[in-house]
Amino acid sequence: MKRVAVYCGSASPEDPRYLALASDVGRTLAERGIGVVYGGGRLGLMGAVAGGALAAGGEVIGVIPEALVGSEVAHHGCTELRVVSGMHERKRAFTDLSDGFLTIPGGVGTMDELWEAVSWAQLGYHAKPVGLLNAFGFYDHLLAFNRHMIEVGFIRPAHAGIIIAEHELDLLLARMAAHEPHTPIFAMKAHDL
């Protein structure tokens, strides 16, 4: 993986572990020669990821909608800052520019990005690894719900492994690097669906 899209929150939770985690993720990716593609913000976990990667000499490409640039939240210290018209263009750029997706703790926007990456993988719009860093057990309930969707039958067996979840970044990156694409819906016949 030469570049990874990092999905995370723009908020700064009171618990300092979250900002430290985000900074460590950016630094680790940079030290491994993996560029960061992210939401282009300077606040919260977003800013910490970018700051960690930049401090370690890494490439950081921010992709931010015009409306947020006007709100003075853009990180102008990125290697490259791409300004797009809206959220759909932003998420498309994440997919086009990256070789995989790495989700760390975040809120509603982070969930939107994660589930779109999962949905697009399931359909066949991309065949890239979708990693979820379940630091501090943050995503325990989400992973339980994902298992529930699999058990009930809303996620096909062929797609049950799309989300690659780990508690530790090193193990997650190793699993993402070893990712084997699954059979997407676009390649299935009606009897497989």
Side-chain angles (χ1 to χ4, degrees), residues 12-22 136:
S12 298
E14 287 184 30
D15 186 336
R17 295 181 303 169
Y18 291 102
L19 285 173
L21 171 74
F136 324 122

Side-chain angles (χ1 to χ4, degrees), residues 151-168:
E151 290 164 2
V152 171
F154 285 111
I155 295 178
R156 293 165 184 85
H159 306 135
I162 289 176
I163 295 177
I164 304 167
E166 291 293 344
H167 289 87
E168 304 213 358

Side-chain angles (χ1 to χ4, degrees), residues 3-168:
R3 288 187 188 138
V4 171
V6 179
Y7 298 147
C8 60
S10 60
S12 298
E14 287 184 30
D15 186 336
R17 295 181 303 169
Y18 291 102
L19 285 173
L21 171 74
S23 181
D24 287 345
V25 166
R27 178 186 47 77
T28 299
L29 291 173
E31 288 173 351
R32 291 179 178 219
I34 300 171
V36 170
V37 180
Y38 86 116
R42 63 177 176 80
L43 304 176
L45 272 66
M46 274 194 203
V49 166
L54 291 167
E59 175 193 44
V60 176
I61 299 174
V63 183
I64 191 166
E66 289 176 271
L68 292 177
V69 174
S71 300
E72 299 181 2
V73 298
H75 192 312
H76 294 285
C78 294
T79 309
E80 179 182 348
L81 184 64
R82 294 187 180 199
V83 178
V84 295
S85 62
M87 294 301 287
H88 293 295
E89 292 81 9
R90 179 194 226 181
K91 290 185 288 185
R92 184 75 220 185
F94 289 152
T95 302
D96 292 344
L97 293 169
S98 69
D99 301 309
F101 308 91
L102 172 59
T103 300
I104 66 174
V108 173
T110 304
M111 291 302 90
D112 175 49
E113 293 161 344
L114 168 65
W115 287 116
E116 183 160 290
V118 171
S119 176
W120 284 17
Q122 181 177 279
L123 289 167
Y125 284 113
H126 74 77
K128 302 171 184 183
V130 180
L132 181 71
L133 184 58
N134 188 23
F136 324 122
F138 184 81
Y139 287 118
D140 285 351
H141 295 291
L142 181 139
L143 291 169
F145 180 63
N146 193 62
R147 280 191 301 276
H148 179 65
M149 289 190 290
I150 293 165
E151 290 164 2
V152 171
F154 285 111
I155 295 178
R156 293 165 184 85
H159 306 135
I162 289 176
I163 295 177
I164 304 167
E166 291 293 344
H167 289 87
E168 304 213 358

